[in-house]
């Protein structure tokens, strides 16, 4: 019998189990499993979609080339339980470039020597004490033109996918869907699915409190000069955030 692992118990479980799954060398089992949601296994760079505990689809991905971690500015991929907060890109063509989760109108082809966020954006929020800054860090699942690097760590913290794969994944996920990021392999995760592992769920009251980013309204033209100056000051900071 699978036991429920709702958000109410996440913080206590994080303290109880610690960060055992952070090991780079050992293929340790996950602390809990997603029966209806997404699991990302970093050891073999896989993203797997589950329904009722059964694998329905998997894809190759690319996580951070800097390893695993949650510190601000580390460019590392966070471990632990997350939830989808929003999806961006409905109806956009494959290769559409996004900045600040907004389409720019530019479309790029795969392997063009650039690495912007493209095609679709799925933003995540961390639900455990140690990864609660994932949303502020702009940890996304998104398309990348650097498809030659898919299957090995190459990102700046985000989970990168081929454009065709993220288009396929996009309708399968929804706001509030649990996403577990683990250091283990997919094989180890699938084994845990078949055993009496704790099961991750995200209650509706937690989904209702997940962050929502709202685009700021346009400001009047008389503020254009100050807006331009501010944009120039933050340009360097946002440049890396747009290279997930």
């Amino acid at each position: 019998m699978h036991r429920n692992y709702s958000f109410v118990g996440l913080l206590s479980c994080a303290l109880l189990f610690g960060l055992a799954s952070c090991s780079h060398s050992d293929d340790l089992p996950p602390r809990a499993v997603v029966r209806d949601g997404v699991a990302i296994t970093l050891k073999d760079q896989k993203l797997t979609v589950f329904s009722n505990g059964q694998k329905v689809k998997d894809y190759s991905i690319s996580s951070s080339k800097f390893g695993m971690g949650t510190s601000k500015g580390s460019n590392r991929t966070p471990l632990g339980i997350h939830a989808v907060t929003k999806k961006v890109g409905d109806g956009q063509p494959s290769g559409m470039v996004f900045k600040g989760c907004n389409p720019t109108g530019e479309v790029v082809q795969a392997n063009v020597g650039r690495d912007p966020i493209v095609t679709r954006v799925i933003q995540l929020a961390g639900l455990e004490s140690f990864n609660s800054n994932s949303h502020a860090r702009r940890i996304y699942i998104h398309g990348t033109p650097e498809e030659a690097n898919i299957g090995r760590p190459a990102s700046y913290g985000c989970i990168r996918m081929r454009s065709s794969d993220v288009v396929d994944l996009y309708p399968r996920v929804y706001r509030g869907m649990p996403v577990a990021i683990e250091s283990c392999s997919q094989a180890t995760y699938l084994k845990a699915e078949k055993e009496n592992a704790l099961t991750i769920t995200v209650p509706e009251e937690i989904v209702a409190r997940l962050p929502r980013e709202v685009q700021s309204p346009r400001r009047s033209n008389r503020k254009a000069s100050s807006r331009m100056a501010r944009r120039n000051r933050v340009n360097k900071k946002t440049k890396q955030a747009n290279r997930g």
Side-chain angles (χ1 to χ4, degrees):
M1 179 72 67
H2 287 265
R3 290 175 288 166
N4 238 10
Y5 187 50
S6 69
F7 179 72
V8 176
L10 291 183
L11 300 185
S12 60
C13 281
L15 294 174
L16 177 63
F17 287 90
L19 295 182
S21 59
C22 293
S23 172
H24 288 261
S25 58
D26 297 325
D27 195 5
L28 298 174
R31 291 178 293 127
V33 297
V34 175
R35 292 186 60 76
D36 292 284
V38 169
I40 297 170
T41 50
L42 301 185
K43 190 175 183 68
D44 53 6
Q45 300 287 286
K46 292 288 186 181
L47 184 152
T48 308
V49 180
F50 290 93
S51 178
N52 196 29
Q54 300 297 313
K55 181 180 78 171
V56 296
K57 189 81 176 185
D58 64 6
Y59 313 88
S60 293
I61 57 96
S62 179
S63 62
S64 174
K65 61 184 176 182
F66 301 101
M68 297 171 279
T70 58
S71 298
K72 180 181 178 180
S74 68
N75 295 321
R76 295 181 175 182
T77 297
L79 294 175
I81 300 162
H82 293 73
V84 174
T85 61
K86 69 174 184 175
K87 298 162 50 178
V88 178
D90 293 80
Q92 296 295 336
S94 179
M96 172 61 70
V97 175
F98 288 83
K99 288 188 177 181
C101 284
N102 297 308
T104 64
E106 180 188 11
V107 176
V108 298
Q109 303 300 313
N111 303 311
V112 293
R114 293 174 54 200
D115 63 346
I117 292 170
V118 301
T119 309
R120 300 289 186 273
V121 182
I122 301 167
Q123 186 159 12
L124 304 178
L127 300 186
E128 302 190 69
S129 57
F130 65 89
N131 63 19
S132 60
N133 64 349
S134 289
H135 192 269
R137 291 180 62 211
R138 299 193 178 193
I139 299 299
Y140 305 145
I141 300 170
H142 66 80
T144 178
E146 290 198 328
E147 295 191 354
N149 288 328
I150 294 295
R152 63 176 180 265
S155 82
Y156 289 82
C158 290
I159 302 299
R160 295 180 176 183
M161 301 181 70
R162 296 183 179 91
S163 285
S164 59
D165 286 345
V166 76
V167 167
D168 186 74
L169 172 69
Y170 192 79
R172 300 176 188 269
V173 303
Y174 52 84
R175 177 175 166 82
M177 174 178 271
V179 177
I181 305 177
E182 292 283 348
S183 64
C184 65
S185 66
Q186 184 192 65
T188 294
Y189 201 94
L190 291 174
K191 181 180 178 183
E193 282 278 358
K194 297 178 180 179
E195 298 173 348
N196 294 327
L198 291 166
T199 302
I200 300 165
T201 62
V202 184
E204 287 300 320
E205 60 269 25
I206 300 302
V207 175
R209 297 205 299 269
L210 288 173
R212 296 178 184 270
E213 285 189 0
V214 180
Q215 193 172 9
S216 300
R218 289 182 180 274
R219 295 177 177 172
S220 60
N221 290 333
R222 64 182 178 173
K223 295 183 179 180
S225 296
S226 61
R227 185 174 67 246
M228 180 63 72
R230 184 167 57 254
R231 182 181 300 136
N232 289 337
R233 287 196 301 270
V234 303
N235 184 51
K236 289 184 179 180
K237 296 180 180 179
T238 58
K239 183 177 179 181
Q240 193 170 67
N242 289 319
R243 299 171 60 203

